[in-house]
Amino acid sequence: MQMNFKEQGDYDEIMRLREILIVEDEESIRDILSYSLRKEGFQMKEAASGKEALELLQDSKPDLILLDLMLPDMSGFDVCRQLSVNSKIPVIMITAKSDMLDKVLGMELGADDYITKPFDIREVVARIRAIFRRIDLISDTLDNQSYEVVRLGKHIEIRKDEREVRKNGERAELTNKEYELLLFLVNHHRKVHTRSELLDKVWGFEFAGDTRTVDIHVQRIRKKLDSEVQGISIIETVFGVGYKLNIQVLA
């Protein structure tokens, strides 16, 4: 459900129409999240296992998923891995683990954010709203552009209406965050962006990760797309500063 900014009252109403899927095996935590988010106006669906969540996702597409890492039948990592292949639904991982390696792995698999238990429900709500605001800002920016398709080299296309990237006519399997990062660099290709700036603009200032997250996503985009872009890297590293789109791919 991608929508553009309107008047604040209309936008608040749009927020209320957003549907969130909670994937959590502990009933008490599911109940707390569901009750609190319904009070905020969100529509809710629930799943107690990874299998149940994936079955629900065959018939419906929520606007965001709150995904527990420790599920009884399969790990949240495995669920996220399957989601990243066919979907760009934003994912916030919620887990008792606080190990940085778990956070990095979650981000590598396409998670948009990470919250550690025990959590404050106000933080959960703030992070959900931050993700939706960022997605809407990106969509609104795109709708004000004069083009429908951005071409990078001879073989890569960004199709804004479909929120996807195509390589040689076939859909490239970019995660939601990889897509947003690439799109941001395309839309702001005239300047170099620091890692901290990219975290702020693409992940949002509420994001709890570090700048290594940016490096990981840049590497994954390059791995998926560079071989198709005239033998040059689609994202250029500016040593000591950060990253920029290689303007040669726009020529």
Side-chain angles (χ1 to χ4, degrees):
M1 184 185 300
Q2 304 301 327
M3 299 189 183
N4 299 330
F5 282 117
K6 298 181 180 180
E7 297 298 326
Q8 184 61 46
D10 293 334
Y11 186 62
D12 289 343
E13 184 61 30
I14 289 170
M15 277 289 194
R16 295 186 187 98
L17 297 175
R18 290 293 180 31
E19 183 178 87
I20 298 172
L21 171 62
I22 301 172
V23 188
E24 166 64 63
D25 62 312
E26 293 188 42
E27 184 177 2
S28 60
I29 296 179
R30 276 204 320 274
D31 289 345
I32 290 171
L33 287 169
S34 182
Y35 174 77
S36 301
L37 293 174
R38 286 183 192 278
K39 284 184 64 178
E40 293 292 324
F42 295 110
Q43 300 182 37
M44 306 302 302
K45 284 189 176 179
E46 300 177 23
S49 68
K51 181 179 179 181
E52 184 181 355
L54 293 173
E55 288 175 350
L56 279 172
L57 290 166
Q58 291 178 4
D59 300 318
S60 64
K61 185 178 179 183
D63 296 289
L64 183 140
I65 299 173
L66 291 174
L67 177 62
D68 184 30
L69 186 60
M70 304 295 288
L71 297 170
D73 56 342
M74 59 194 302
S75 74
F77 292 137
D78 290 332
V79 175
C80 198
R81 186 178 290 110
Q82 293 193 43
L83 282 172
S84 67
V85 173
N86 297 309
S87 172
K88 288 188 171 63
I89 301 172
V91 174
I92 298 178
M93 283 190 167
I94 299 182
T95 177
K97 291 188 175 182
S98 58
D99 192 295
M100 181 55 68
L101 289 177
D102 288 327
K103 294 183 179 182
V104 171
L105 179 56
M107 297 306 145
E108 284 185 322
L109 293 174
D112 292 73
D113 207 343
Y114 197 109
I115 295 177
T116 303
K117 300 175 185 175
F119 53 78
D120 186 323
I121 190 63
R122 292 171 296 182
E123 178 187 6
V124 177
V125 171
R127 289 176 182 269
I128 289 171
R129 290 184 174 276
I131 286 175
F132 285 150
R133 283 196 300 269
R134 188 182 63 251
I135 290 173
D136 289 333
L137 280 168
I138 291 173
S139 297
D140 194 56
T141 298
L142 282 175
D143 286 336
N144 290 328
Q145 302 290 341
S146 60
Y147 48 76
E148 297 296 320
V149 176
V150 180
R151 289 180 173 82
L152 305 178
K154 295 180 179 179
H155 305 286
I156 304 296
E157 292 182 347
I158 300 176
R159 300 189 175 189
K160 66 172 187 175
D161 290 340
E162 301 164 40
R163 281 183 60 83
E164 70 177 27
V165 178
R166 288 186 173 265
K167 179 173 68 174
N168 291 321
E170 299 293 328
R171 179 178 175 182
E173 302 300 342
L174 268 65
T175 65
N176 187 58
K177 196 54 58 185
E178 290 163 3
Y179 171 82
E180 291 184 0
L181 175 58
L182 177 60
L183 198 59
F184 180 85
L185 291 171
V186 168
N187 286 340
H188 304 85
H189 62 271
R190 298 184 184 279
K191 64 171 291 190
V192 179
H193 304 275
T194 66
R195 291 168 177 81
S196 295
E197 180 185 5
L198 291 171
L199 275 180
D200 181 30
K201 299 297 185 181
V202 179
W203 277 261
F205 68 89
E206 295 91 346
F207 176 63
D210 62 17
T211 55
R212 184 181 174 188
T213 299
V214 177
D215 297 333
I216 290 169
H217 281 72
V218 168
Q219 292 168 13
R220 290 170 66 86
I221 293 171
R222 286 170 172 167
K223 183 176 180 181
K224 293 176 181 180
L225 299 181
D226 275 4
S227 62
E228 303 296 334
V229 188
Q230 302 169 336
I232 59 177
S233 182
I234 197 167
I235 298 175
E236 181 180 351
T237 299
V238 181
F239 291 102
V241 184
Y243 296 106
K244 63 177 292 188
L245 188 79
N246 192 326
I247 60 172
Q248 294 182 62
V249 302
L250 294 176

